[in-house]
Amino acid sequence: MKLNTDNASAAIIIDKKNNFLLQKRDLKKTIFFPGHLGLFGGAKNKNESYINALKREIYEEIGFTPSDIKYFMKISFDFKKKIILRYIYICRVNLLTKKIIKLGEGAGYKILNLEDMKKNLESKNNFVPYDQLALWFYINKKRIT
C-alpha cells in the first residue's frame, strides 16, 4: 500500500493559557503514523500556497481557521529523488474548548497544557516523530535562538 508523500503544512495550535491542540490520527493504513498524536494540517494542493493549504486543512479538520497564524519552521526530508517539505506554523487562539472544535478529520483530539505537553514530549509516547520535533523546538525556542 503506497503512502502519500506530498508537501504539507501543519499547525501548532495554542491558546492564551498555553494549552495545545493535538490531533489523534485516523487508523488508515494509507497515512503516516496512524493512531498517533500529531499536529493538525495536511497536504498542499499543486497551485496552493503553504499558508492557504494550512487554512483549508485546519478548517476541514476542526471547523474554524485561526486568525493569528505565523510561520515557525520548515522541515525538509531529502530522499535523493524527491524532497518533501513540511511547513510548520504557530496558530494562536483565545481559548481552546470543546465547544469551538468540530472534528472533521482524525480519530479524535487532545488538549494538553504546557506542563503535560513537556512531559509527553520527553517520555515514550505515541507522537508523529516530525510533529514531536516541531513541538519540542517550539517549547524550547528560547534555549535555541
Side-chain angles (χ1 to χ4, degrees):
M1 193 161 299
K2 194 169 181 158
L3 295 172
N4 186 1
T5 56
D6 292 331
N7 294 328
S9 295
I12 296 174
I13 302 173
I14 186 168
D15 72 11
K16 291 183 179 185
K17 293 184 176 185
N18 285 323
N19 294 307
F20 293 80
L21 178 63
L22 300 170
Q23 179 189 48
K24 182 167 184 200
R25 296 176 57 80
D26 284 316
L27 293 172
K28 297 176 184 174
K29 292 180 182 179
T30 57
I31 65 172
F32 287 96
F33 304 101
H36 286 62
L37 285 178
L39 302 176
F40 283 94
K44 178 180 105 51
N45 292 329
K46 186 175 181 179
N47 293 319
E48 188 175 38
S49 69
Y50 284 93
I51 190 85
N52 286 339
L54 180 75
K55 290 175 182 177
R56 176 185 50 76
E57 286 286 343
I58 289 177
Y59 186 79
E60 289 172 3
E61 292 175 345
I62 59 175
F64 72 93
T65 305
S67 58
D68 185 358
I69 301 173
K70 291 186 175 57
Y71 172 83
F72 178 62
M73 69 184 295
K74 175 177 67 173
I75 300 172
S76 175
F77 302 95
D78 186 345
F79 293 100
K80 197 172 180 178
K81 292 184 180 183
K82 183 176 185 176
I83 294 175
I84 301 166
L85 302 175
R86 187 164 178 88
Y87 279 72
I88 310 296
Y89 294 87
I90 306 301
C91 296
R92 297 196 179 276
V93 297
N94 285 331
L95 188 62
L96 289 169
T97 65
K98 293 180 181 183
K99 289 180 186 176
I100 67 166
I101 301 162
K102 296 175 183 77
L103 194 65
E105 282 185 35
Y109 67 90
K110 254 188 176 179
I111 298 173
L112 295 177
N113 64 38
L114 182 58
E115 289 309 310
D116 287 340
M117 179 61 80
K118 286 178 182 178
K119 287 176 193 169
N120 274 275
L121 290 175
E122 293 174 6
S123 66
K124 278 198 163 194
N125 58 50
N126 201 26
F127 272 98
V128 174
Y130 42 83
D131 291 347
Q132 181 177 7
L133 175 69
L135 286 159
W136 188 92
F137 272 110
Y138 176 77
I139 288 170
N140 292 284
K141 65 185 176 289
K142 289 181 182 172
R143 294 171 48 197
I144 298 164
T145 55

